Amino acid sequence: MLPDSLKSELKARVAHAVTNREAVVDVMKELQRHYGWLTDEAVAEAAELLGLTPLQVEELATFYEMIYRRPVGKRVIHVCDSISCWAMGGESLMAHLARQLGIGPGETTADGMFTLLPCCCLGNCGEAPTLMIGDTLHGRVTPEQASEIVEKERSAAR
């Protein structure tokens, strides 16, 4: 259940949008931030706030890679697998992170700290290979740098 303060804030955002659909991603991201992922309850809450059906919200939620419809770790690592990043070593970067974390792409570490996900494009092609953790984009990442980034994230989360 949403706290009244968050519900009021989201209603205000929807009211300021030109159309309710314009606010869908923003509402889903805030609900995801609140719950940790977009739960079925959050889909229903978003639909109510937006005046849409839960199915309409679900359709949009499953379209966007950054909206999670299943539980994820405290930190989600997106590794770009676009052609630019792939050509510059993105596949090796993903394999290195999988080995370091002891998980495969799409999995979450046993401690619930990290989820490792491929991402079709992070829009940072000139800085390939790229990864993103939270809202922080890291470009021209070597496997060694990736290890350092992960350890900094682990320390910051403690």
Side-chain angles (χ1 to χ4, degrees), residues 6-50:
L6 180 56
K7 196 172 203 174
S8 296
E9 179 186 332
L10 293 175
K11 282 181 180 181
R13 289 184 191 191
V14 172
H16 283 90
V18 174
T19 69
N20 288 5
R21 285 183 180 271
E22 180 184 313
V24 173
V25 173
D26 190 34
V27 168
M28 288 190 300
K29 286 178 82 175
E30 283 303 317
L31 291 172
Q32 178 170 279
R33 199 175 339 271
H34 174 72
Y35 290 111
W37 58 290
L38 197 69
T39 64
D40 291 342
E41 177 184 2
V43 168
E45 289 167 340
E48 183 181 327
L49 287 164
L50 294 157

Side-chain angles (χ1 to χ4, degrees), residues 29-96:
K29 286 178 82 175
E30 283 303 317
L31 291 172
Q32 178 170 279
R33 199 175 339 271
H34 174 72
Y35 290 111
W37 58 290
L38 197 69
T39 64
D40 291 342
E41 177 184 2
V43 168
E45 289 167 340
E48 183 181 327
L49 287 164
L50 294 157
L52 301 172
T53 68
L55 179 59
Q56 289 171 310
V57 174
E58 176 72 20
E59 289 170 343
L60 293 165
T62 57
F63 177 78
Y64 291 100
E65 282 188 303
M66 304 290 177
I67 300 296
Y68 315 120
R69 286 294 285 129
R70 62 182 177 83
V72 292
K74 291 177 185 163
R75 300 282 199 268
V76 178
I77 303 170
H78 290 273
V79 179
C80 185
D81 67 359
S82 71
I83 189 69
S84 299
C85 284
W86 176 82
M88 297 302 291
E91 192 172 40
S92 298
L93 182 60
M94 175 67 88
H96 174 80

Side-chain angles (χ1 to χ4, degrees), residues 59-156:
E59 289 170 343
L60 293 165
T62 57
F63 177 78
Y64 291 100
E65 282 188 303
M66 304 290 177
I67 300 296
Y68 315 120
R69 286 294 285 129
R70 62 182 177 83
V72 292
K74 291 177 185 163
R75 300 282 199 268
V76 178
I77 303 170
H78 290 273
V79 179
C80 185
D81 67 359
S82 71
I83 189 69
S84 299
C85 284
W86 176 82
M88 297 302 291
E91 192 172 40
S92 298
L93 182 60
M94 175 67 88
H96 174 80
L97 286 166
R99 279 191 307 276
Q100 178 184 359
L101 297 169
I103 58 174
E107 296 179 347
T108 300
T109 57
D111 63 1
M113 180 63 68
F114 295 104
T115 297
L116 182 61
L117 295 174
C119 186
C120 69
C121 185
L122 291 170
N124 199 33
C125 300
E127 299 290 315
T130 297
L131 67 81
M132 186 167 78
I133 302 178
D135 293 330
T136 305
L137 200 59
H138 301 274
R140 296 187 183 179
V141 180
T142 65
E144 296 76 23
Q145 290 169 327
S147 293
E148 292 172 15
I149 292 165
V150 167
E151 289 312 311
K152 284 180 186 172
E153 289 289 331
R154 188 182 307 279
S155 294

